[in-house]
């Protein structure tokens, strides 16, 4: 199966396997905590933070795994129902 027919999770899992990285090692190398990494790898998209964070996570993961971060992000965006956006009740911190 080539990258055109794989979803983002499958691409990431395959890249981890090729590099021989664990989720813990990827977390250390990217500075991203394990929880969102596991959520991405296991397609538990409801556990992910809002889209801007996921975008940053995917870019960092792509750099470490030798993947195209823009393509990963665009592939993630194709599945629109998984993307968490800010809600009407979200507010900026009061110190801003």
């Amino acid at each position: 199966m080539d990258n055109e027919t794989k979803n983002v999770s499958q691409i990431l899992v395959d890249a981890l396997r090729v590099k021989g990285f664990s989720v813990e090692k990827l977390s250390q190398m990217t500075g991203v905590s394990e929880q969102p990494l596991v959520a991405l790898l296991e397609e538990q998209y409801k556990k992910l933070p809002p889209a801007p964070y996921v975008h940053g996570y995917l870019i960092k993961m792509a750099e470490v795994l030798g993947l195209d971060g823009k393509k990963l992000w665009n592939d993630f965006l194709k599945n629109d129902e998984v993307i968490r956006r800010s809600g009407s009740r979200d507010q900026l911190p009061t110190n801003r």
Side-chain angles (χ1 to χ4, degrees):
M1 191 183 309
D2 62 17
N3 283 358
E4 292 299 318
T5 57
K6 291 182 182 179
N7 67 30
V8 171
S9 296
Q10 292 169 326
I11 293 168
L12 293 172
V13 167
D14 288 349
L16 278 173
R17 190 176 311 120
V18 167
K19 292 279 187 178
F21 291 169
S22 65
V23 173
E24 181 180 4
K25 172 92 173 168
L26 183 62
S27 175
Q28 291 170 353
M29 293 182 75
T30 61
V32 177
S33 67
E34 289 183 34
Q35 186 275 332
L37 297 179
V38 170
L40 276 167
L41 295 171
E42 295 180 356
E43 298 181 32
Q44 298 175 348
Y45 300 126
K46 291 188 186 288
K47 293 184 178 182
L48 290 172
Y53 293 98
V54 177
H55 179 251
Y57 298 162
L58 287 173
I59 296 300
K60 287 180 181 181
M61 292 169 73
E63 288 174 6
V64 169
L65 296 172
L67 301 171
D68 181 350
K70 286 184 180 182
K71 180 170 180 353
L72 271 181
W73 176 243
N74 288 331
D75 288 349
F76 183 78
L77 289 176
K78 288 177 185 175
N79 196 355
D80 192 53
E81 69 270 5
V82 304
I83 300 171
R84 269 190 58 214
R85 293 178 171 77
S86 297
S88 59
R89 296 180 3 189
D90 290 347
Q91 297 178 0
L92 287 174
T94 56
N95 65 343
R96 301 284 172 177

